[in-house]
Amino acid sequence: MESETISKTILDNGLTILTSKMPASESVSICLFAKVGSRYESIDNSGISHFIEHMLFKGTHKRPKPYQIASEIETGGGLIDASTESEYTSFVIRINKSEMKNSIGILFDMILDPLFDPDAIQTERLVITEELSMITDSPSSLADMYLTNLLWEDHPLGMEIAGTKKTIASINRSQLIEHLESYYIPNGIILSLAGNINHDEITLFIDQLSKNWRKSIPKTFPQFNHDQKSPKIKTEYRNIEQSQLTLGFCHPMFRASDKFFQEIINTILGGSMSSKLFINIRELSGFAYDIHSDLINFTDTGALVISAGINPKNLYNALEQILFQISNFSYTLQDSDISNAKKLITGRLLLDGENTSSAAYKIGQEYIYSSKADTVQETISKINNVQSSDLLKFIDDVFKKSNLNVVVVGPNRGSSKLSRIVESFSPSNSNFLK
């Protein structure tokens, strides 16, 4: 992998441009990040950021037909996608270098001159309603949604990003326009690009493209106070073959800025096929086909989440085994575990670093959270500098019973047995299952 160079320019209107120079690449990836997502919403307009993301594809005054935007990118040999998260919305294009400027122009057309056609709004309202039905019809997606509700209870972070059927039915055109104008402001936009790019040339082009776009005062989101005092459990009966089990530990140390500790912990615990959970729950016990852990990161909070599909007869044994692995984590953690996890993480980073989409997304997302973007080598250096003592303190601080949240969706009724298992969980108790 060639040495990566990241350049940054902030235009007079506040728009941030980041480029990752990849001289050997024939493709260019363009990521536009807007600092708006479900965390900026209320219970009354939940889902409006996601609604806008959908609507920005449905036509502009220059490209009035709903299919024109995607078609123009695709006929140029490219791909376009978008997603709404809790703290940002992103639009991603991967395209031939010759189509780069036109693709950037399309992105600016989408966010600066959308039609918000009333008929298109009504059609997309139906589409999002079906998306919500898909979530509630999927036991694993439903379990994830319930866990999010528990982790960040009574807070916008705990709301479904797509909203609710009630809010989607009530959001109107004027609300969409007001939300767009409030948050899609130049000083709330990060444009990150990766490929064989001349930073100064592309900066000049973007500066001209956005010269009439004026900065305004950005809005902020509500902070989250970690005040969970005891574990929480939610169950929902569904007459299905598997019990969908999800559990999560919420803690401020899972914020995005502490990701180097988290990645190592997650990789060792459940983030790979050689992880403790995969080996013990799947390979040795046969309790699950799929079991894995993931990280959820925000500016000031986050969580580590474990998910598994379990035969209902094995649900309670599986939960005990999972909590046993966590309760013994600090006792069983070996230097070889840490070394192997670092190798896996850095290897994945190097592989991703050869992909322009991954490279552009990485630097843009990092900048959203920290106003800084590291090269792959800088990230690898920070990961390799993590010490075992740092990880042990992280484990002791995070994996506490009071931080635990458990959700089960499936044919198991009641939560009394789950409660007894959770109450007996103690990370300081190496004899948890004995």
Side-chain angles (χ1 to χ4, degrees):
M1 179 180 174
E2 297 182 61
S3 179
E4 182 185 14
T5 302
I6 296 176
S7 301
K8 180 185 79 171
T9 298
I10 300 177
L11 302 180
D12 291 341
N13 62 7
L15 191 151
T16 299
I17 302 167
L18 304 169
T19 61
S20 175
K21 180 79 169 178
M22 301 172 68
S25 177
E26 295 294 330
S27 71
V28 169
S29 288
I30 308 154
C31 297
L32 188 151
F33 291 86
K35 292 183 179 180
V36 61
S38 59
R39 188 171 188 174
Y40 293 84
E41 300 167 359
S42 69
I43 195 170
D44 296 321
N45 70 350
S46 174
I48 192 169
S49 301
H50 176 256
F51 204 147
I52 287 173
E53 176 226 308
H54 278 232
M55 288 306 305
L56 295 183
F57 283 86
K58 302 307 170 186
T60 68
H61 288 89
K62 185 177 179 180
R63 301 172 175 88
K65 302 296 183 183
Y67 57 81
Q68 281 182 273
I69 291 168
S71 178
E72 192 169 338
I73 294 294
E74 290 172 354
T75 55
L79 304 167
I80 184 169
D81 200 3
S83 67
T84 305
E85 307 299 337
S86 294
E87 294 187 0
Y88 62 85
T89 303
S90 63
F91 301 83
V92 181
I93 295 175
R94 187 175 186 185
I95 198 78
N96 296 323
K97 183 183 176 183
S98 61
E99 298 288 332
M100 175 176 61
K101 290 183 179 179
N102 183 57
S103 298
I104 295 171
I106 291 173
L107 284 175
F108 276 77
D109 189 33
M110 289 169 64
I111 65 175
L112 293 177
D113 197 25
L115 280 177
F116 286 133
D117 176 74
D119 290 337
I121 290 173
Q122 185 55 30
T123 299
E124 211 56 31
R125 198 189 310 275
L126 298 175
V127 171
I128 296 171
T129 300
E130 290 305 310
E131 184 178 353
L132 289 167
S133 295
M134 183 174 67
I135 292 170
T136 55
D137 278 353
S138 166
S140 59
S141 297
L142 186 63
D144 290 342
M145 184 178 75
Y146 286 153
L147 183 65
T148 299
N149 298 158
L150 290 184
L151 290 169
W152 297 285
E153 195 170 11
D154 300 323
H155 190 276
L157 287 173
M159 300 189 303
E160 168 56 42
I161 289 173
T164 67
K165 291 182 179 181
K166 181 179 178 181
T167 57
I168 297 306
S170 66
I171 292 171
N172 58 43
R173 185 174 187 271
S174 62
Q175 289 175 297
L176 292 169
I177 293 172
E178 181 183 1
H179 199 76
L180 178 83
E181 292 177 346
S182 296
Y183 292 101
Y184 282 76
I185 57 177
N187 45 317
I189 298 292
I190 292 94
L191 200 64
S192 58
L193 305 93
N196 190 9
I197 299 165
N198 182 306
H199 180 82
D200 293 337
E201 178 186 339
I202 204 64
T203 296
L204 180 61
F205 173 74
I206 295 168
D207 192 24
Q208 289 297 310
L209 202 62
S210 63
K211 62 183 178 181
N212 296 322
W213 197 9
R214 302 292 178 230
K215 69 167 62 175
S216 59
I217 299 173
K219 295 188 177 182
T220 58
F221 51 67
Q223 298 299 302
F224 181 76
N225 297 316
H226 292 79
D227 58 359
Q228 184 177 344
K229 299 295 191 298
S230 60
K232 291 181 282 189
I233 298 172
K234 179 175 177 60
T235 63
E236 179 168 308
Y237 179 82
R238 289 284 180 99
N239 186 18
I240 52 179
E241 291 294 318
Q242 281 189 318
S243 294
Q244 294 297 324
L245 170 66
T246 62
L247 56 149
F249 292 85
C250 181
H251 197 278
M253 289 182 73
F254 284 119
R255 58 187 175 261
S257 59
D258 286 326
K259 64 182 180 180
F260 309 109
F261 302 96
Q262 302 165 30
E263 289 286 357
I264 295 171
I265 295 297
N266 181 60
T267 301
I268 297 169
L269 182 62
S272 69
M273 292 179 66
S274 54
S275 66
K276 294 180 181 295
L277 291 178
F278 193 90
I279 290 173
N280 287 280
I281 307 303
R282 172 175 160 149
E283 300 297 332
L284 298 181
S285 300
F287 286 151
Y289 168 72
D290 176 42
I291 180 164
H292 61 273
S293 62
D294 288 306
L295 295 167
I296 303 174
N297 303 125
F298 302 121
T299 301
D300 55 346
T301 181
L304 184 142
V305 174
I306 299 165
S307 305
I310 308 288
N311 185 312
K313 295 179 181 178
N314 296 326
L315 172 67
Y316 304 113
N317 287 336
L319 178 59
E320 286 179 332
Q321 286 286 350
I322 291 169
L323 294 178
F324 175 73
Q325 294 302 319
I326 296 170
S327 68
N328 282 271
F329 202 175
S330 60
Y331 299 100
T332 60
L333 187 64
Q334 303 293 319
D335 288 341
S336 59
D337 295 329
I338 300 170
S339 175
N340 291 337
K342 288 179 178 180
K343 290 176 184 177
L344 178 56
I345 295 166
T346 56
R348 288 173 174 173
L349 280 168
L350 290 169
L351 291 174
D352 286 344
E354 296 178 354
N355 181 298
T356 58
S357 294
S358 298
Y361 200 90
K362 174 184 178 291
I363 61 175
Q365 187 186 51
E366 285 182 358
Y367 200 86
I368 284 280
Y369 289 125
S370 64
S371 298
K372 186 181 184 301
D374 289 333
T375 66
V376 170
Q377 290 300 330
E378 287 170 336
T379 302
I380 288 173
S381 177
K382 290 179 180 180
I383 289 168
N384 286 331
N385 285 335
V386 173
Q387 303 298 311
S388 58
S389 57
D390 301 322
L391 296 176
L392 289 171
K393 184 180 186 308
F394 190 96
I395 291 168
D396 289 342
D397 287 343
V398 166
F399 294 117
K400 294 180 178 178
K401 182 164 64 178
S402 59
N403 297 330
L404 177 59
N405 301 269
V406 179
V407 173
V408 175
V409 175
N412 304 83
R413 297 186 185 273
S415 59
S416 57
K417 191 166 184 178
L418 291 172
S419 296
R420 289 196 295 272
I421 294 170
V422 168
E423 283 302 318
S424 65
F425 167 63
S426 174
S428 61
N429 178 13
S430 62
N431 297 312
F432 171 60
L433 278 184
K434 297 179 182 179

